[in-house]
């Protein structure tokens, strides 16, 4: 998956490239050929929401449908990469120099894409499997990437902890784990207030390193379009390193015992991981002794994708590319994009942009989401009901999860819509510590994850993944965990530029707990089908 030398290639030739991870997968049959008729868009597909495996293939299950009497929706307006400009756009910066902004965007429009259409299609197929309960999504990374913290070591450590977590989850759930990083583009952040006041001084809020600076002075807080070019370059470098890690031997399953981070090694979670890693090692040794090859690419490489919030629309438009093999537009800033709680208006600019790109899309959903509004939004973004296209990322706290999530699941099921349900246990649990720093309690995060699994077990639907703000660094930003971080510890290694993240030990601890729930779900399923 090494990044090709793009200097001699045009952006048009690059977007024609198929997936780099691995290439053969891009040519296998995928869900992308699924194009139901308008009448089928409202069909009930029992396999999507059933807790137990379907007795017949999904394709057969799809034929047993109940067609809703609702009339098919009217044809949407014609889409173009710039059509979002006709809609109301929230959370966008006001650049003081329009000519400079236009110059930067024209420059970026001829840059090579950061990701390729084949890679994106491959991810969509895998997410479709997660919707059916046949895979599990692990999505994690920084709250907001920064220029200051950019380094090869930080990228490696986050990649490594995601590898560890995926082994834990896959071992317990006996499911493929889809690894998606909040990396290589997660810069911009929505803000509750457009301005920030300190000691009587009022300045524009910090909106992310690709927009303005976090230093509290007038010059730093002025939106600078040239920061988008720096963000693009950093994203390209990050992807280059991630591709090298994923395919250059670092991610080989034979190295499973070597992935422990130094500061996790002598801890309860590190010991649990090493015990599991030795079991994997023994299994690999048995396979080799039995004459089964362990040199297959599936054992020496891994699939890894990137994602971020689709917030800074000028940047996203500049990196939209038309794929000559399919005629579809892709948002080539990341494999997966999501729309946030503050920008998911049905008639808003962000939804308008996202409905026209062929990437898998996430929808962040809080307790404020009305079930009918959710089904309307899904219909706008996925009118053909394509598996893997929509991931609903629920973030609302444990109590709201138990009360609100069942209604959302029932509404989506009632509309016959195919989605992947994912739990974000971070954003609904942010509190302020006595010292004034934002933090999150590990127990609250864990309670929300448990509520998510409990509701899906109750509703007979599939818990499709988790979405975490986390880092491979040894930070002290979230309190709690087995290696207890207290309020007094927060200031010692509080490095985040935005919201608090789980450190590597806390992330691994959470993975073991989720793994147990996946194992329980698997065992329950086996007992019922025995």
């Amino acid at each position: 998956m090494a990044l090709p030398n793009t200097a001699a290639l045009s952006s048009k030739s690059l977007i024609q490239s198929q997936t780099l991870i691995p290439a053969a997968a891009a040519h296998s049959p995928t869900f992308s050929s699924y194009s139901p008729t308008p009448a089928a868009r409202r069909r009930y597909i029992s396999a999507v929401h059933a807790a137990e495996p379907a007795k017949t293939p999904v394709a057969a299950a799809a034929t047993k449908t109940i067609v809703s009497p609702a009339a098919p929706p009217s044809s949407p307006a014609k889409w173009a990469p710039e059509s979002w400009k006709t809609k109301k756009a929230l959370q966008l910066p006001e650049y003081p120099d329009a000519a400079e902004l236009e110059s930067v965007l024209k420059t970026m429009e001829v840059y090579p894409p950061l990701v390729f259409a084949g890679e994106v299609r491959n991810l969509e197929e895998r997410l479709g499997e997660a919707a059916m309960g046949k895979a599990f999504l692990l999505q994690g990374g920084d709250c907001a990437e920064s220029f200051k913290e950019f380094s090869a070591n930080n990228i490696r450590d986050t990649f490594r902890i995601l590898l560890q977590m995926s082994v834990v989850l896959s071992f317990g759930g006996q499911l493929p784990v889809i690894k998606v990083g909040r990396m290589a583009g997660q810069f911009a952040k929505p803000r509750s207030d457009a301005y920030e006041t300190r000691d009587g001084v009022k300045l524009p809020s910090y909106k992310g390193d690709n927009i303005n600076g976090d230093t509290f002075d007038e010059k730093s807080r002025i939106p600078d379009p040239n920061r988008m070019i720096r963000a693009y370059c950093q994203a390209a470098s990050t992807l280059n390193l991630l591709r090298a890690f994923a395919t250059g031997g670092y991610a080989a399953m034979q190295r499973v015992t070597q992935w422990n981070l130094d500061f996790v090694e002598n801890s309860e979670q590190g010991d649990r991981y090493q015990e599991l890693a030795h079991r994997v090692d023994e299994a690999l040794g048995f396979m080799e002794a039995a004459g089964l090859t362990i040199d297959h690419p599936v054992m020496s490489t891994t699939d890894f994708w990137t994602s971020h919030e689709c917030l800074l629309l000028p940047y996203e438009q500049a990196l939209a590319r038309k794929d000559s093999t399919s005629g579809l537009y892709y948002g080539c800033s990341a494999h997966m994009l999501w729309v946030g709680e503050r920008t998911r208006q049905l008639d808003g600019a962000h939804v308008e942009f996202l409905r026209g790109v062929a990437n898998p899309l996430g929808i962040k959903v809080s307790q404020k989401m009305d079930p009918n509004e959710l089904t309307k939004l899904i219909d706008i973004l996925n009118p053909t009901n394509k598996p893997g296209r929509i991931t609903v990322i629920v973030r609302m706290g444990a109590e709201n999860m138990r009360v609100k999530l069942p209604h959302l699941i029932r509404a989506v099921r009632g509309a016959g819509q195919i989605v992947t349900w994912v739990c974000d246990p971070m954003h609904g649990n942010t509190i302020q510590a006595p010292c004034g720093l934002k933090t999150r309690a590990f127990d609250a995060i864990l309670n929300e994850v448990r509520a998510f699994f409990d509701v899906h077990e109750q509703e007979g639907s599939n818990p499709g993944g988790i979405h975490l703000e986390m880092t491979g660094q040894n930070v002290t930003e979230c309190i709690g965990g087995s290696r207890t971080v207290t309020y007094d510890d927060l200031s010692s290694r509080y490095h985040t530029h935005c919201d608090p993240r789980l450190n590597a030990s806390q992330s691994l601890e959470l993975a073991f707990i989720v793994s147990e729930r996946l194992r329980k779900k698997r065992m329950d399923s086996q007992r019922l089908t025995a």
Side-chain angles (χ1 to χ4, degrees):
M1 196 173 101
L3 192 67
N5 181 357
T6 57
L9 299 174
S10 69
S11 60
K12 181 178 179 181
S13 64
L14 280 168
I15 195 63
Q16 293 172 355
S17 302
Q18 291 298 308
T19 179
L20 301 176
I21 43 177
H27 302 287
S28 60
T30 71
F31 284 122
S32 59
S33 61
Y34 181 89
S35 299
T37 62
R41 292 174 188 168
R42 300 287 183 178
R43 292 175 178 175
Y44 296 164
I45 303 179
S46 59
V48 176
H49 300 283
E52 302 308 320
K55 296 180 180 179
T56 56
V58 172
T63 63
K64 299 177 181 179
T65 62
I66 302 173
V67 181
S68 167
S74 57
S75 299
K78 185 176 180 181
W79 184 91
E82 66 278 4
S83 61
W84 64 267
K85 295 179 180 179
T86 65
K87 306 286 186 176
K88 184 178 180 179
L90 302 180
Q91 295 287 334
L92 293 186
E94 296 181 7
Y95 292 99
D97 190 333
E100 184 180 26
L101 172 63
E102 187 64 22
S103 176
V104 166
L105 296 177
K106 289 293 184 185
T107 299
M108 292 185 63
E109 285 173 0
V110 298
Y111 280 1
L114 292 171
V115 301
F116 309 104
E119 294 176 340
V120 176
R121 287 191 286 266
N122 191 18
L123 174 58
E124 184 177 62
E125 177 183 353
R126 298 289 299 278
L127 290 171
E129 293 170 358
M132 307 297 176
K134 297 178 180 179
F136 193 79
L137 171 65
L138 171 61
Q139 188 171 11
D142 264 319
C143 167
E145 294 174 283
S146 73
F147 296 159
K148 294 176 186 176
E149 297 292 323
F150 175 55
S151 74
N153 287 345
N154 287 347
I155 296 167
R156 178 203 61 205
D157 289 349
T158 298
F159 180 76
R160 179 160 54 174
I161 192 64
L162 286 168
L163 286 180
Q164 287 184 284
M165 294 172 72
S166 70
V167 168
V168 171
L169 294 170
S170 184
F171 196 87
Q174 300 290 293
L175 288 170
V177 174
I178 308 163
K179 296 174 285 295
V180 178
R182 288 174 56 112
M183 305 171 75
Q186 179 54 21
F187 293 100
K189 295 296 293 182
R191 311 306 292 182
S192 300
D193 298 308
Y195 291 89
E196 178 184 358
T197 302
R198 296 186 194 175
D199 300 324
V201 178
K202 184 178 180 180
L203 293 175
S205 294
Y206 168 63
K207 291 179 175 290
D209 275 9
N210 62 345
I211 295 175
N212 59 2
D214 64 342
T215 303
F216 193 74
D217 61 50
E218 187 174 359
K219 182 179 180 181
S220 297
R221 294 300 175 92
I222 297 174
D224 179 1
N226 290 288
R227 284 176 167 267
M228 287 190 279
I229 292 180
R230 185 172 177 184
Y232 170 91
C233 293
Q234 181 169 318
S237 297
T238 300
L239 275 159
N240 187 41
L241 197 56
L242 289 171
R243 288 184 168 117
F245 284 145
T247 62
Y250 186 86
M253 191 57 68
Q254 296 90 320
R255 293 176 55 92
V256 67
T257 59
Q258 302 172 35
W259 290 339
N260 242 346
L261 293 157
D262 295 338
F263 57 85
V264 177
E265 193 168 359
N266 299 314
S267 69
E268 179 184 346
Q269 303 315 317
D271 292 343
R272 290 182 70 185
Y273 175 77
Q274 282 297 339
E275 181 182 350
L276 185 151
H278 287 310
R279 292 173 67 183
V280 173
D281 254 357
E282 289 175 356
L284 293 176
F286 173 79
M287 289 169 58
E288 192 168 25
L292 300 174
T293 179
I294 60 173
D295 295 326
H296 191 278
V298 75
M299 302 298 291
S300 58
T301 65
T302 193
D303 292 341
F304 195 88
W305 293 274
T306 62
S307 65
H308 64 252
E309 181 175 357
C310 177
L311 191 62
L312 187 56
L313 290 177
Y315 178 85
E316 303 297 342
Q317 179 190 330
L319 290 175
R321 302 286 186 271
K322 189 174 184 178
D323 175 30
S324 61
T325 64
S326 65
L328 300 174
Y329 275 94
Y330 286 84
C332 291
S333 62
H335 300 103
M336 177 182 181
L337 299 168
W338 74 80
V339 63
E341 175 76 10
R342 295 180 178 93
T343 54
R344 56 171 173 74
Q345 297 78 19
L346 299 180
D347 58 351
H350 293 81
V351 170
E352 171 62 21
F353 177 80
L354 287 172
R355 77 176 179 89
V357 294
N359 305 59
L361 304 177
I363 302 171
K364 285 289 190 86
V365 170
S366 77
Q367 68 275 14
K368 300 175 185 177
M369 173 63 88
D370 176 76
N372 291 329
E373 183 182 358
L374 177 59
T375 58
K376 289 177 183 177
L377 180 55
I378 293 171
D379 198 45
I380 291 170
L381 296 176
N382 190 23
T384 59
N385 208 19
K386 191 177 186 183
R389 166 73 168 171
I390 298 296
T391 297
V392 179
I393 306 169
V394 189
R395 38 149 296 185
M396 56 181 64
E399 290 185 14
N400 285 320
M401 186 77 76
R402 295 185 185 279
V403 174
K404 301 288 186 178
L405 180 57
H407 298 288
L408 298 178
I409 293 173
R410 293 166 195 168
V412 170
R413 175 191 286 129
Q417 294 169 327
I418 305 172
V419 305
T420 305
W421 293 101
V422 169
C423 175
D424 168 2
M426 308 299 292
H427 286 88
N429 293 300
T430 306
I431 58 176
Q432 187 173 42
C435 62
L437 293 172
K438 288 194 294 185
T439 189
R440 290 159 172 159
F442 184 81
D443 285 347
I445 292 168
L446 178 56
N447 287 339
E448 183 162 355
V449 171
R450 284 173 172 155
F452 176 76
F453 275 88
D454 288 347
V455 169
H456 281 287
E457 184 176 351
Q458 163 195 314
E459 294 296 321
S461 47
N462 294 308
I466 53 173
H467 179 116
L468 305 171
E469 290 186 341
M470 48 165 284
T471 177
Q473 301 172 59
N474 188 20
V475 299
T476 53
E477 297 170 3
C478 293
I479 59 172
S482 59
R483 299 181 72 178
T484 306
V485 176
T486 67
Y487 285 127
D488 293 336
D489 297 324
L490 288 178
S491 59
S492 61
R493 292 185 302 279
Y494 195 94
H495 299 157
T496 183
H497 283 251
C498 191
D499 291 333
R501 304 161 293 176
L502 295 172
N503 62 30
S505 178
Q506 292 166 330
S507 299
L508 198 54
E509 183 174 355
L510 185 62
F512 275 109
I513 293 167
V514 173
S515 175
E516 285 300 316
R517 289 303 300 255
L518 291 174
R519 181 179 181 276
K520 178 182 180 298
K521 181 176 183 294
R522 173 169 58 87
M523 299 300 289
D524 290 345
S525 175
Q526 289 174 353
R527 280 194 294 268
L528 289 173
T529 56

